[in-house]
Amino acid sequence: MAGMAAPAALAQRDLTLVGAACGAVLLIGAAALLDLTDGRVGVVTSIGVVLASLTVPLAVAPHQLWNTLFAPPVLLIGTLVVVAIVAPGAIAPEGMPDSAGPAGRVLAGTVASGVTLALAEVLALAAIGLRRLGLH
């Protein structure tokens, strides 16, 4: 396999957990800003969370892989907290009263995004598993 780098050489290009998290935050922030153009958080933000949750385990150094298990819920809830503060009306699942505060909106948004969270966690686990298989 001429031209292919050795795994040890590729490992030097891995990010720290903080670096990968910063990249994920930028990705989700851009997706949320794009999604907020219609006044609601929806599919674009969900896709951003799933892609960022998949990317973090693929980008970090091998010794930090298990820490990335927490990335999907932290990224989703963090996004919802910021949106609830900046644009509270953007998180409005069906049946939510207009008088709900930021904490209620974050909780309702998290419950409404259950499929997104489950998919993000499964993909993150799959990425971690594939990385672990590739290390041995």
Side-chain angles (χ1 to χ4, degrees):
M1 291 188 204
M4 296 202 55
L10 290 174
Q12 293 175 351
R13 297 184 184 143
D14 288 338
L15 297 175
T16 64
L17 187 59
V18 173
C22 288
V25 167
L26 288 174
L27 171 69
I28 296 172
L33 281 175
L34 182 64
D35 206 12
L36 284 174
T37 57
D38 68 351
R40 298 269 187 231
V41 173
V43 176
V44 177
T45 303
S46 294
I47 291 170
V49 169
V50 169
L51 289 177
S53 297
L54 175 63
T55 304
V56 169
L58 294 175
V60 299
H63 68 278
Q64 295 178 324
L65 274 175
W66 294 112
N67 296 333
T68 63
L69 280 173
F70 302 107
V74 168
L75 292 171
L76 177 67
I77 294 170
T79 301
L80 292 174
V81 166
V82 171
V83 170
I85 292 169
V86 174
I91 304 173
E94 190 175 323
M96 172 169 271
D98 291 336
S99 62
R105 291 189 183 277
V106 170
L107 182 61
T110 303
V111 171
S113 300
V115 172
T116 299
L117 184 57
L119 179 62
E121 192 65 48
V122 166
L123 288 175
L125 280 168
I128 291 168
L130 289 174
R131 289 278 314 267
R132 292 296 302 162
L133 286 175
L135 292 177
H136 297 292

